[in-house]
Amino acid sequence: MSDTPPESPDFDAMTRDIAEVPAVEVIVTVAVNLMSAAAVKLGLSEEGEKYKDLDEARKLITALAGLLDASATEISSFHAAPLRDGLKSLQLAFREASIVPDEPGQGPGEKYTGPVYG
């Protein structure tokens, strides 16, 4: 073991790095992270049931829908369209995974997207 303390993060460098990232890229990255987390909580990862938690998935899907709704005019349809498709797929997967499916319009994120049908 070494007697030297671990280096603390260089927050000035991190601030400069994030300052160079376009807002669209930050929004898309956050959306992709929400999508990935929701997929895991829906049991869609390799480990499936081990991490399945529909309550957590509902929260993540709703947050993703809210982000996409709020940023729709800020990001181009080039970026928004595939994210909306991914959101719809997650919403449908949620409906399929639920023992008692929500009524149309009451599922996760549907207050932002409207009812989702298969």
Side-chain angles (χ1 to χ4, degrees), residues 14-29:
M14 290 169 44
T15 300
R16 280 190 303 275
D17 289 345
I18 198 70
E20 296 172 6
V21 179
V24 170
E25 191 172 325
V26 173
I27 293 167
V28 169
T29 300

Side-chain angles (χ1 to χ4, degrees), residues 38 41-42 53-65 94 98 100-103 106-110:
K41 296 296 184 179
L42 284 170
D53 184 335
L54 295 183
D55 184 51
E56 291 289 302
R58 177 184 294 277
K59 293 171 188 171
L60 292 162
I61 294 168
T62 299
L64 174 62
F94 184 93
S98 296
V100 179
D102 296 313
E103 292 294 320
Q106 301 301 310
E110 291 183 5

Side-chain angles (χ1 to χ4, degrees), residues 31-100:
V32 169
N33 285 330
L34 287 168
M35 290 174 78
S36 297
V40 169
K41 296 296 184 179
L42 284 170
L44 302 176
S45 67
E46 286 184 20
E47 307 225 4
E49 295 294 317
K50 182 177 179 182
Y51 300 110
K52 189 173 182 177
D53 184 335
L54 295 183
D55 184 51
E56 291 289 302
R58 177 184 294 277
K59 293 171 188 171
L60 292 162
I61 294 168
T62 299
L64 174 62
L67 174 65
L68 294 181
D69 183 54
S71 63
T73 59
E74 305 299 327
I75 61 177
S76 67
S77 61
F78 175 79
H79 295 291
L83 294 173
R84 277 193 231 105
D85 290 345
L87 171 60
K88 183 177 180 181
S89 294
L90 290 169
Q91 289 171 311
L92 291 171
F94 184 93
R95 185 172 301 281
E96 186 176 307
S98 296
I99 295 170
V100 179

